[in-house]
Amino acid sequence: MAVTDEAIEKIKGMIVSGAPRPGGRLPGESEPAAGLGPSRNSLREAVRALSLLRILDVRQGDGTYVTGLDPQLLLGAMSFAVDFHRDDTVLEFLAVRRMLEPAATALAASRIGEDQLDALSAQLDALGAEPSVEQLVVADLEFHRSIVRSAGNSVPCSLLDGLSGPATRARIWRGLSQKDAAGRTLREHRASLAALREGDAEAARSWATVHIASVEQWLRGTR
C-alpha cells in the first residue's frame, strides 16, 4: 500500500470510529495523536485528496476539520466523476435512474405539499407550449429534483443529482432532434403532477417510469 493510501486509511479509520466526529478538528501534523503516516508529505497528500472528496475541510491558519458528512456534500463528488462517462454508458446511467426515481416519486405522493405542487404547476405554465431546449432542460431538472426532494430522503436526491450529467446531455440531444420532445415532456410532467395531487403513489411511480423509459427508448433508436 502506498504511504499516502496508508495515511488516507488511517484518517478514515479515525473518522469512522468517531474521533473526530463530523465538524471536529483533525490532529495537527506535530501532535502526537496524529500518527497518520510515515511522513508529513504523505499526510498532506492524504488531506488534500480527502478535501477534494469533501470529507475534510482545510482552514488556513486554523486546522483541518471533518465536514458535516452530509449525503448531498459527499455524493456531490460523484457528479464530477460521472461527467467523465463515455457516451455509450448513457443508457446505463438512465437505467440506474429508472430504478431509483420512480420509487422516490411514489414516496413523494404521500408527502409533497399542495404549495409545492402549485409551484411546480406554475413553472410548467410559465414555460409555455414551445420552450427552448435550454429552458426545457433547466425546468426538467428542477421538476424532478423538487419531487424527489419532497420524498424526505436526501440520499436518493443526491444520487439522482449526481447522475444528471449524462441524462442532461441526452435530454438536450433529444430536444434538438426529436419531433414534439418538448410537448411530450410537458404532458408527462403534468400527468405526474396530477397523480401526485391525487396522492396516487402507483400512478406517480408509473409516470416517472414512463418519462425516463421514453428517453431510453429514443436513445436506443439512435444508436
Side-chain angles (χ1 to χ4, degrees), residues 1 4 24 36 38 53 59 67 71 82 97 103 107 125 128 160 168 174 191 197 201 204 218:
M1 180 183 292
T4 299
L36 297 173
L53 292 173
R59 305 176 189 175
T67 66
V82 165
R97 183 181 160 199
L107 184 59
D125 290 341
L160 289 166
T168 298
R174 181 187 187 202
R197 199 176 289 277
W218 171 78

Side-chain angles (χ1 to χ4, degrees), residues 17-185:
S17 69
R21 298 180 62 81
R25 180 176 172 277
L26 205 68
E29 295 176 0
S30 60
E31 295 178 42
L36 297 173
S39 71
R40 290 190 175 187
N41 284 339
S42 64
L43 176 57
R44 288 168 185 166
E45 288 298 321
V47 168
R48 186 177 295 114
L50 292 172
S51 65
L52 289 174
L53 292 173
R54 303 181 182 181
I55 294 170
L56 296 179
D57 177 23
V58 180
R59 305 176 189 175
Q60 293 298 326
D62 187 12
T64 300
Y65 291 78
V66 180
T67 66
L69 302 181
D70 298 319
Q72 186 173 2
L73 183 68
L74 297 180
L75 293 173
M78 182 181 72
S79 179
F80 179 80
V82 165
D83 282 338
F84 289 95
H85 83 290
R86 303 188 314 272
D87 288 342
D88 60 354
T89 61
V90 171
L91 282 168
E92 295 180 19
F93 283 106
L94 283 170
V96 173
R97 183 181 160 199
R98 181 161 44 84
M99 296 175 199
L100 296 175
E101 190 166 337
T105 303
L107 184 59
S110 62
R111 300 184 177 184
I112 194 167
E114 287 293 326
D115 54 339
Q116 293 172 285
L117 291 169
D118 290 343
L120 288 171
S121 182
Q123 289 171 12
L124 293 180
D125 290 341
L127 282 175
E130 298 182 2
S132 68
V133 172
E134 292 76 14
Q135 289 174 321
L136 183 64
V137 168
V138 171
D140 189 45
L141 284 169
E142 184 54 34
F143 181 87
H144 292 284
R145 183 181 293 117
S146 296
I147 291 173
V148 174
R149 189 186 301 124
S150 70
N153 189 324
S154 63
V155 174
C157 189
S158 299
L159 284 171
L160 289 166
D161 271 347
L163 292 171
S164 67
T168 298
R169 285 192 285 276
R171 283 196 291 272
I172 292 174
W173 187 18
R174 181 187 187 202
L176 290 171
S177 60
Q178 186 182 61
K179 183 179 180 181
D180 195 36
R184 178 182 297 182
T185 296

